[in-house]
Amino acid sequence: FTRIKRVEKIDRLKSSTRGNPRYKFTFEDGDEMKTQPDAGWVYAICPDQLVGRPIAATYHFTPRGKGVLDGVATCQPCQDSAVSV
């Protein structure tokens, strides 16, 4: 799925076993999604600059219903920070 969502907050989670960063995104609609362990695209984002802004969130759900964020793109036309897996 890809939907426009406004970011309420982003929490830094414990790094993966390989030492890569992980994040939990909370959106204004109440949805929470985590990045996958070892997802390389998270190195291309600056979480502080996404809070309060709308993003195009690409995500999927696990069989247990957990949201997993697969990529994000900013919605500002002047920025070219589209990142996805």
Side-chain angles (χ1 to χ4, degrees):
F1 303 100
T2 299
R3 301 279 188 271
I4 303 297
K5 294 180 165 284
R6 186 173 295 274
V7 178
E8 184 174 292
K9 73 177 185 173
I10 301 174
D11 295 312
R12 178 75 153 80
L13 302 175
K14 184 179 174 183
S15 295
S16 71
T17 56
R18 294 182 179 159
N20 294 312
R22 294 191 65 213
Y23 296 98
K24 180 175 82 171
F25 283 65
T26 303
F27 299 99
E28 286 186 350
D29 63 4
D31 286 347
E32 293 183 346
M33 298 181 192
K34 295 179 182 178
T35 59
Q36 291 183 335
D38 304 318
W41 65 266
V42 298
Y43 283 101
I45 64 169
C46 182
D48 294 339
Q49 293 182 357
L50 297 178
V51 174
R53 294 186 172 186
I55 62 167
T58 302
Y59 59 96
H60 70 276
F61 291 101
T62 66
R64 292 187 175 178
K66 300 287 184 182
V68 178
L69 198 57
D70 297 315
V72 300
T74 58
C75 293
Q76 276 67 2
C78 62
Q79 296 185 10
D80 61 353
S81 60
V83 181
S84 65
V85 175

